[in-house]
Amino acid sequence: MTSRILAAFLVLTGGLIVGALLPLGFAMAAQHRHDYQSSTLEAARALASTAEEGIEDRDGAATLPHRLATVRREIEGGDQAQVEVVDRKSRIIAGRDTGLYTPARAAVGLRGQTRVSELDGRLLAIVPVGAQDERVKGAVLLARPLAPLRERVDRLWTRLGLVALAAVALAVALAVYLAGWVGRPLRRLGAVAEALGAGELAARADPPRRPPEVRGLAERFNVMAARLENLIYDSRAVLADVSHQLRTPLAALRLRMELFAEEAESGGREADAAEFEAALEELGRLSRMVDGLLAVARAENTTTPPQVIPVTGLLRDRVDAWRPVAAERGVRLLLEPGEPLTAMLGPGRLEQAIDNLVDNALTATPKGGHVRIGARRAGHRIHVTVADDGPGMSPEAMAEAFRRFRTGRAGGTGLGLAIVHRLVTAEGGDVTLSETRGGGLTVTLDLPAGR
């Protein structure tokens, strides 16, 4: 936001400089040039008036250089000015060594014309002498250096440049102040939102006094945070009640069914015993489904601050825990070697996700197959993979795999991958399914790397 406000102020200031300051500078420079030309022309006319008295008078001609020098000293920068006077026959009366005279230049004044032009870094003014009497007696050529004019114009542009720099500096200062004025409460609000998302449900924003829009945003954020806190606490209470209300009667029902099955088997009622065993299997499936639903609900409603989780060590522990189960089913459970890696996750999330994935993989992999678990770094992310040699999944089944109760396996609940997806996405990660090379399914967990 600071860069955008700064860019807007700089564009506005640049527009003002280009649209107002530059035209003003050009106009003032042109005015300085016009004033210098006008003063040069006036000085040349004053010299012509002085020269008129002695241009045709021999006695006056003798004192003419002295009088011209007196008038020249009154001109700005007169010490560097050069004057040359010619009579109507183009004879040089004064200023013979100036080098200003040429027949063409003298002819301009002798024709009664006035001209101002630049000549070799000087401003040359040519005026006639005695033109007011309709009889031109001669011409005056006055050359003044352009250096004073250029210095004046340079000072003008320097001052305008300083004004422009001051305007830019003021714009930058105002932009930084305004960005801080607006951005500081927004950054504080962002920090509170991050804390709320990390599980600090009691986090609240401190509404600033100004600007009023940010204050209103902070107040509405606090209302939202309070409602979210109430919803999460209510959801946790419901989960606790459901866990107690469902698991207890299911456990009691399972115990009664097991007793009935034992009585039927001891009484020789083989048919009844078989029915009870089938009912027990369905009851076990119902218990697993309830546990899965509760796990999904917990994954969706639990907000715990992320911690640095040692991924490599955790995978080694889970492989050691599941290896006896894999050996019993005739499946080799392998951990691929890799560098020590860490991820930012809530405590217990990755263990639960890996357990669900390994359970699914061992169930789907036939006897003699392999289940491989590995982890690698991908930039600022950690990729954890669980690959099996089972039958795999079709593209259509993969698209539906994270939806609840979608299963292609007999006796499955369709909740394992749904639980994994909820657990990982709640931590800012992602889950993807792909085909294992040679057949099977590979599940990849994309997790944020540990700081």
Side-chain angles (χ1 to χ4, degrees), residues 326-367:
E328 183 180 352
R329 299 182 184 182
V331 179
R332 293 190 61 190
L333 182 60
L334 305 175
L335 175 63
E336 297 179 351
E339 60 176 320
L341 301 173
T342 59
M344 293 297 297
L345 296 169
R349 294 296 182 92
L350 186 56
E351 292 95 324
Q352 191 173 357
I354 294 298
D355 286 345
N356 277 277
L357 292 179
V358 173
D359 186 19
N360 286 351
L362 293 178
T363 303
T365 304
K367 192 173 184 179

Side-chain angles (χ1 to χ4, degrees), residues 95-117:
R96 186 178 299 275
D97 298 329
T98 60
L100 298 177
Y101 171 78
T102 63
R105 294 171 190 162
V108 173
L110 295 177
R111 289 196 300 267
Q113 298 176 354
T114 299
R115 177 181 296 177
V116 180
S117 61

Side-chain angles (χ1 to χ4, degrees), residues 249-262 280 283:
L250 284 175
L253 180 59
R254 182 179 184 84
L255 180 60
R256 288 177 176 271
M257 294 292 292
E258 289 175 352
L259 291 175
F260 288 147
E262 291 178 0
L280 283 172
L283 187 59

